[in-house]
Amino acid sequence: MLFGSRRDDFSSRYHLTRRGRFKRIRQIWNIARRFDLRHGLTPVTMRLMFEALGPTFVKVGQILSMRSEMLPQSFCDELAKLRADADPMPYSVVLDTLAAEYGRPVTEIFRHIDPTPLGSASLSQVHRATLVTGEDVAVKVQRPGVRDTMAQDVSIMRSVARYAAKFVHAAQVIDLQGVVEELWDTFEAETDFLIEARNLRDFKQFCASYRYMDCPKPYMSLCTEHVVVMEYVEGISVSHPRQLVAAGYDLQDIGTKLVDNYATQILDDGFFHADPHPGNIIIRGGQIMLIDLGMTGRLNAKTRSVLREMIFAVAKQDSPALADGLLRFAGSEANPDDYPSLLADLDSIVKEFGTVDLRDLDIAAFLNSLTQLAARHHIEVPSTVTTVGRALVTLEGLLDEFIPDVNMIEIISSHIAASRSKGDAARDEAKTLGLEGMRALHGLLSTLGDASVASRMLTRGQLKVNAELVGADEPMRLLSDMVNRLTMALIVVGLFVGSSIVYFAGIKPVVFGIPIVGFLGYVIAFILSAWIVVDIYFKGRRSRRR
């Protein structure tokens, strides 16, 4: 039943009830009616409606903004503006939440907590505070019940998707149930603040190799599933270029280092900040500080390698190499239904993006087009690739607005070229030659084995040969026509000779003075002769026209 009373583990864990589900459905229905969806849904209307529907749909919108294979680009661009701003929680609720998380009075941990929040979002709220040990920190507190609300919405979505799947085959449109499960996995990760704390710890280790890059230090012993305590960062946001210049900073130097480090995160380390919007980038003490590690992406070595190869394949206008990279994304089981059609579509991408210099290649637009093409051919591209594309779009928008003199694509392409030294290229080439040599050797050994089997069969008289003469169809057809005509001519001659013998024998009965058997023979011979003449004449004319 769509609204059945059976309580499964999911419902029990998040305290979901039938009454609560009906109440939430009424809320969703009333909000949808307010936006008058019957007259069409525009990108702006969709964004405003998601904001009104609450944290679940805000997150849905943020996720959909990175899935251009599911929505038109205009909708993705508008949904990318969702920042989940919300009315602040009462200060008393923040204190009660902290006390419940730590199981002891807040005063034993914090000397002071600023009642005015630094920021308030649909999922959480951030306050500046001072630990009893004197450290200046930022405390991120999750709104009470937000995960239960999300679970209620996901439960409704699951029911709708399950019933929709009975009427719409997933392969025809989209795997609705799979999308809902992916959303819930994202929700769980977003609302588990221990994941963000670990992201801060890991990114802090990555930044140790760079004097100009850093992130807030997490206080792991004070972080819980619903609270993150991290170093408070005070500086100048990259969205205030005039203040940065007044403080003595070089905007071009900041932009170049930011983009080059971002290329390192994506292509070399495989762990990157997935939401580099201006509010998450602060300049402090000559360092670029990346804050809010709630949204990150991870690329394994294979994905990073394929990504580099595909970028260079576009630059070389090599559609087969681009197709190979795309299929490598999909795994060893990938087998497109129409490989020629795939190559033809990739040709269009190569024509669009491969005719420019590598330094002018719009990598974000390229990844977006590639993802949409893969979806059309039922090739599954890792979701992290679309995350990379969206992050690059965000970063490029930041640069265009605040540091326009920095060419992001040129820096990333230079980074790729520099990371591939002559030694690396030689090693890669040697590795490629070794693999190809091994395949060739295996092929040679397999051929020798087949030859040995064929030799044994030949000596035993068991060998059969199927041969096909390429281009022999037309000559064989002409030869067949010649044989047919010759056969018919022999039959006609036989009929004439036979009928003449019967005529001279004077066998009765007779017709027109000719024995009836001989008469029939003459008639048939005449008809066949006329057919042969007509056939030769018309086939001769057709051959002359060709």
Side-chain angles (χ1 to χ4, degrees):
M1 296 175 61
L2 182 59
F3 306 117
S5 60
R6 187 179 69 85
R7 294 173 58 86
D8 56 12
D9 293 339
F10 183 83
S11 299
S12 300
R13 181 182 178 188
Y14 295 105
H15 316 293
L16 306 183
T17 63
R18 186 179 183 183
R19 181 178 179 181
R21 184 178 295 190
F22 272 116
K23 181 180 179 181
R24 179 57 177 159
I25 289 174
R26 281 198 302 270
Q27 290 176 349
I28 294 172
W29 175 252
N30 290 333
I31 292 172
R33 287 180 58 192
R34 192 202 317 165
F35 285 91
D36 194 17
L37 299 185
R38 293 175 301 173
H39 292 88
L41 184 65
T42 67
V44 174
T45 303
M46 188 175 190
R47 175 178 62 81
L48 294 175
M49 184 179 68
F50 278 7
E51 289 175 348
L53 286 170
T56 305
F57 290 88
V58 168
K59 283 299 172 185
V60 168
Q62 290 175 339
I63 293 168
L64 289 177
S65 72
M66 296 184 283
R67 302 300 296 271
S68 56
E69 76 277 13
M70 294 170 58
L71 285 178
Q73 191 61 41
S74 58
F75 281 82
C76 292
D77 293 339
E78 186 64 31
L79 292 178
K81 299 176 183 177
L82 288 168
R83 291 297 171 205
D85 294 332
D87 294 331
M89 285 189 290
Y91 182 59
S92 59
V93 174
V94 173
L95 295 179
D96 291 343
T97 302
L98 290 172
E101 283 296 306
Y102 294 124
R104 49 181 170 154
V106 175
T107 53
E108 294 184 9
I109 302 170
F110 301 99
R111 182 187 300 168
H112 172 73
I113 299 177
D114 190 345
T116 304
L118 296 171
S120 184
S122 58
L123 285 183
S124 60
Q125 189 161 295
V126 181
H127 288 259
R128 186 174 181 177
T130 305
L131 298 178
V132 292
T133 51
E135 290 92 341
D136 198 7
V137 298
V139 183
K140 185 175 181 179
V141 183
Q142 188 173 126
R143 289 178 180 269
V146 69
R147 183 180 279 191
D148 291 347
T149 301
M150 286 184 161
Q152 184 75 271
D153 290 342
V154 167
S155 177
I156 295 170
M157 291 178 188
R158 280 174 173 165
S159 298
V160 172
R162 187 166 55 249
Y163 272 77
K166 295 180 179 180
F167 304 99
V168 180
H169 293 294
Q172 293 176 341
V173 184
I174 192 169
D175 184 0
L176 295 176
Q177 292 176 292
V179 170
V180 172
E181 294 309 316
E182 182 180 344
L183 289 174
W184 176 243
D185 290 342
T186 304
F187 293 158
E188 280 198 306
E190 289 271 333
T191 53
D192 185 353
F193 284 1
L194 284 173
I195 294 177
E196 181 175 351
R198 288 192 287 268
N199 288 339
L200 284 167
R201 180 195 61 197
D202 295 345
F203 200 75
K204 187 79 173 175
Q205 293 174 353
F206 164 77
C207 292
S209 303
Y210 301 91
R211 293 172 55 189
Y212 62 84
M213 181 69 64
D214 205 354
C215 73
K217 168 190 171 184
Y219 291 82
M220 297 301 296
S221 61
L222 298 177
C223 295
T224 70
E225 191 174 356
H226 303 108
V227 176
V228 177
V229 179
M230 69 192 92
E231 171 192 4
Y232 176 73
V233 176
E234 188 169 16
I236 305 173
S237 170
V238 75
S239 62
H240 299 131
R242 292 183 180 178
Q243 293 184 26
L244 290 171
V245 172
Y249 289 107
D250 183 340
L251 293 181
Q252 190 168 10
D253 182 59
I254 291 173
T256 301
K257 288 179 177 176
L258 174 62
V259 174
D260 187 69
N261 189 269
Y262 209 77
T264 301
Q265 294 174 36
I266 294 174
L267 298 173
D268 299 340
D269 194 68
F271 174 51
F272 62 95
H273 193 300
D275 191 21
H277 70 82
N280 285 341
I281 303 174
I282 295 175
I283 310 302
R284 183 193 71 174
Q287 287 185 312
I288 302 171
M289 303 290 294
L290 296 183
I291 63 174
D292 191 358
L293 271 290
M295 290 180 64
T296 60
R298 294 184 184 270
L299 300 172
N300 58 33
K302 173 190 171 183
T303 303
R304 298 197 303 272
S305 173
V306 173
L307 200 55
R308 288 194 198 95
E309 290 175 7
M310 293 176 74
I311 291 172
F312 278 110
V314 172
K316 293 187 294 184
Q317 302 187 42
D318 188 348
S319 296
L322 192 58
D324 290 343
L326 189 61
L327 295 177
R328 280 184 61 192
F329 267 148
S332 58
E333 300 300 322
N335 185 23
D337 298 330
D338 191 351
Y339 189 76
S341 174
L342 173 63
L343 283 180
D345 286 348
L346 287 173
D347 280 338
S348 64
I349 289 184
V350 166
K351 288 178 182 177
E352 181 179 357
F353 297 100
T355 54
V356 299
D357 243 1
L358 182 60
R359 69 185 189 88
D360 296 324
L361 173 64
D362 190 340
I363 298 178
F366 161 64
L367 290 176
N368 179 51
S369 298
L370 200 64
T371 303
Q372 292 178 340
L373 180 147
R376 290 198 301 272
H377 289 273
H378 309 291
I379 298 173
E380 185 176 356
V381 174
S383 59
T384 48
V385 175
T386 58
T387 304
V388 169
R390 174 52 61 185
L392 290 175
V393 168
T394 304
L395 184 60
E396 191 170 30
L398 179 153
L399 294 172
D400 289 343
E401 185 174 358
F402 303 112
I403 316 177
D405 293 333
V406 174
N407 187 323
M408 183 185 79
I409 307 305
E410 182 177 358
I411 295 170
I412 292 178
S413 59
S414 298
H415 179 95
I416 295 173
S419 64
R420 187 177 171 82
S421 65
K422 292 182 179 179
D424 293 334
R427 281 193 293 272
D428 290 346
E429 189 65 24
K431 183 179 179 181
T432 301
L433 289 174
L435 291 173
E436 290 179 352
M438 186 179 298
R439 284 196 292 266
L441 180 60
H442 281 298
L444 178 61
L445 292 175
S446 177
T447 301
L448 292 174
D450 292 340
S452 175
V453 173
S455 177
R456 285 198 301 270
M457 293 177 66
L458 180 61
T459 57
R460 296 174 184 176
Q462 298 173 332
L463 186 64
K464 295 181 180 180
V465 178
N466 292 325
E468 180 181 356
L469 297 177
V470 179
D473 292 343
E474 185 64 17
M476 293 300 293
R477 186 184 64 78
L478 294 174
L479 180 62
S480 176
D481 287 345
M482 292 172 60
V483 171
N484 289 339
R485 288 172 184 170
L486 182 60
T487 302
M488 293 295 291
L490 291 174
I491 293 173
V492 169
V493 171
L495 286 172
F496 272 117
V497 172
S499 298
S500 298
I501 292 172
V502 170
Y503 172 75
F504 286 109
I507 299 174
K508 295 182 180 181
V510 297
V511 177
F512 304 118
I514 303 171
I516 191 169
V517 175
F519 179 79
L520 291 174
Y522 283 130
V523 172
I524 294 172
F526 176 79
I527 293 173
L528 292 178
S529 299
W531 180 82
I532 293 173
V533 171
V534 171
D535 183 63
I536 292 172
Y537 174 76
F538 282 106
K539 285 189 176 179
R541 290 189 63 181
R542 283 199 296 268
S543 64
R544 283 195 298 272
R545 288 196 189 113
R546 288 199 292 264

